[in-house]
Amino acid sequence: MSKRFTGTIELANGVKMPQLGLGVYKMTDSGQTVEAITYAIETGYRAIDTAAIYENERETGEAVRHSGVPREELFITSKVWNTDQGYDSTLRAFEESLEKLGLDYLDLYLTHWPVSEKYVETYKAIERLYDEKLIRATGVSNHHAHHLEKVFVKANVAPMVNQIELHPHLTQESLRAFCKENGIAVTSWSPLARGKLLAEPTLLHIGEHYGKTPAQVIIRWHLQNDLIVIPKSVTPERIRENSEVADFELSSEEMASINELNRNERAGTDPDTY
Ligand SMILES: NC(=O)c1ccc[n+]([C@@H]2O[C@H](COP(=O)([O-])OP(=O)(O)OC[C@H]3O[C@@H](n4cnc5c(N)ncnc54)[C@H](OP(=O)(O)O)[C@@H]3O)[C@@H](O)[C@H]2O)c1
């Protein structure tokens, strides 16, 4: 078996999304960002998760366009930032993102946070982009079930993805169950809890058994939970390491012992209080 993970998740509209992608939040050095994304694509990553607020859409586009990999084999996600939310301003923000990326379409476009009074209209604009075939799938981020329920009332097509903070310290069981019932795929952001989980003895112990690092064990836990996972790294060895997770499988006992690490503890902000 190849070590490199290449699986996909089928979204509600049949589009296949790579289950493992590269997150690019906090990649601020322009040259380093292009190098990291270029290296990731060379290594076999096919999905890149950026956002307008990360201020690296130009670099993402540059790496994608110069990768030599056909555009249709790559899956590019971006997100509309909070200050651009609302119907018309979302459409304008999308146009700007597309221009910065230098692409003709995006694979997935998300509402970054549920800005109150605005997130439903923001999603309606995302639906329009989908109708106009400027994006291949619709989605949201940081939406609790109560936000999604408000979106459902006005939506013609339910969001296909919800990208939320999720890792072994914040397992989000009830929101995952809600998304599953409603045909929404879940993407885990900060899947490594921004590095806070890497010294966890349970993960070290499981990793030793397979000759894998704690980061690889955590990524495998996300994948075996049918989650889409987008670890971020600018470090070539880590970018490679994070993708080499296809040659081992966690047992149900190991999955359960990782579930037990849950503390409902966030590394980032709660969407209800941000
Ligand atoms: N929708 C949202 O609101 C939202 C919020 C946050 C994040 N996100 C998305 O989710 C992605 C991932 O989340 P994140 O960047 O917050 O956190 P993360 O992926 O959990 O952790 C990234 C940190 O872990 C380090 N790291 C990565 N792989 C490692 C390895 N194998 N061994 C040791 N350290 C490792 C990285 O260091 P180096 O880079 O120095 O190697 C970086 O400091 C983001 O990049 C972004 O695309 C979305």
Side-chain angles (χ1 to χ4, degrees), residues 25 49 141-142 163 190 192 194 232-235 238 242:
Y25 178 44
D49 183 84
S141 178
N142 298 304
Q163 183 182 123
S190 290
L192 308 174
R194 300 190 167 146
K232 172 262 176 185
S233 179
V234 288
T235 316
R238 291 175 175 174
N242 293 347

Side-chain angles (χ1 to χ4, degrees), residues 63-99:
V64 162
R65 283 180 280 107
H66 295 153
S67 67
V69 175
R71 171 67 185 93
E72 61 275 15
E73 289 178 21
L74 296 166
F75 194 101
I76 311 302
T77 301
S78 193
K79 317 179 189 88
V80 52
W81 185 239
N82 301 347
T83 46
D84 285 323
Q85 288 196 35
Y87 191 85
D88 291 337
S89 40
T90 295
L91 297 177
R92 280 196 297 275
F94 176 80
E95 228 171 88
E96 262 178 51
S97 284
L98 210 55
E99 187 273 323

Side-chain angles (χ1 to χ4, degrees), residues 24-25 45 62 72 74 83 89 106 125 133 146 152 170 177 187 189 218 223 230 235:
V24 302
Y25 178 44
Y45 285 74
E62 188 183 326
E72 61 275 15
L74 296 166
T83 46
S89 40
L106 290 189
K133 300 198 174 359
H146 68 87
F152 293 161
L170 180 72
T187 301
W189 67 250
I218 300 169
L223 296 172
I230 47 170
T235 316

Side-chain angles (χ1 to χ4, degrees), residues 82 112-116 119 141-148 150 164-165 172 175 189 266 268-274:
N82 301 347
H112 206 142
W113 290 86
V115 173
S116 59
Y119 64 91
S141 178
N142 298 304
H143 279 41
H144 285 315
H146 68 87
H147 298 117
L148 287 166
K150 286 222 174 73
I164 55 174
E165 182 179 347
Q172 300 261 32
L175 183 50
W189 67 250
R266 291 177 186 272
T269 314
D270 186 330
D272 274 337
T273 54
Y274 75 100

Side-chain angles (χ1 to χ4, degrees), residues 19-249:
Q19 208 184 340
L20 174 70
L22 182 76
V24 302
Y25 178 44
K26 293 199 174 159
M27 288 196 192
T28 46
D29 178 277
S30 186
Q32 190 185 45
T33 302
V34 175
E35 271 174 37
I37 299 173
T38 301
Y39 181 75
I41 296 173
E42 276 168 18
T43 308
Y45 285 74
R46 290 294 175 264
I48 310 293
D49 183 84
T50 185
I53 194 67
Y54 302 168
E55 295 188 345
N56 54 23
E57 289 176 310
R58 280 193 201 286
E59 287 78 0
T60 301
E62 188 183 326
V64 162
R65 283 180 280 107
H66 295 153
S67 67
V69 175
R71 171 67 185 93
E72 61 275 15
E73 289 178 21
L74 296 166
F75 194 101
I76 311 302
T77 301
S78 193
K79 317 179 189 88
V80 52
W81 185 239
N82 301 347
T83 46
D84 285 323
Q85 288 196 35
Y87 191 85
D88 291 337
S89 40
T90 295
L91 297 177
R92 280 196 297 275
F94 176 80
E95 228 171 88
E96 262 178 51
S97 284
L98 210 55
E99 187 273 323
K100 284 183 180 155
L101 283 153
L103 300 176
D104 301 332
Y105 69 92
L106 290 189
D107 296 280
L108 178 63
Y109 195 53
L110 309 176
T111 309
H112 206 142
W113 290 86
V115 173
S116 59
E117 315 296 329
K118 292 204 171 162
Y119 64 91
V120 174
E121 284 306 300
T122 299
Y123 183 74
K124 290 299 290 176
I126 291 175
E127 260 189 340
R128 176 165 160 186
L129 296 169
Y130 180 65
D131 289 342
E132 291 181 355
K133 300 198 174 359
L134 290 165
I135 57 177
R136 293 177 65 229
T138 68
V140 296
S141 178
N142 298 304
H143 279 41
H144 285 315
H146 68 87
H147 298 117
L148 287 166
E149 273 164 349
K150 286 222 174 73
V151 170
F152 293 161
V153 173
K154 288 280 179 77
N156 297 322
V157 47
M160 294 154 199
V161 173
N162 187 14
Q163 183 182 123
I164 55 174
E165 182 179 347
L166 202 161
H167 44 71
H169 281 171
L170 180 72
T171 53
Q172 300 261 32
E173 306 281 348
S174 63
L175 183 50
R176 275 159 62 190
F178 180 88
C179 287
K180 191 169 181 190
E181 271 164 34
N182 288 284
I184 302 172
V186 173
T187 301
S188 305
W189 67 250
S190 290
L192 308 174
R194 300 190 167 146
K196 281 185 205 157
L197 275 161
L198 300 177
E200 190 64 63
T202 304
L203 301 171
L204 283 160
H205 179 73
I206 295 172
E208 270 165 24
H209 179 67
Y210 297 104
K212 293 288 176 182
T213 65
Q216 290 171 315
V217 172
I218 300 169
I219 291 166
R220 191 70 217 180
W221 174 85
H222 288 278
L223 296 172
Q224 287 184 221
N225 273 314
D226 295 331
L227 298 161
I228 297 154
V229 59
I230 47 170
K232 172 262 176 185
S233 179
V234 288
T235 316
E237 306 78 63
R238 291 175 175 174
I239 292 172
R240 174 174 287 279
E241 174 187 324
N242 293 347
S243 72
E244 291 184 339
V245 290
D247 55 349
F248 74 114
E249 187 166 344

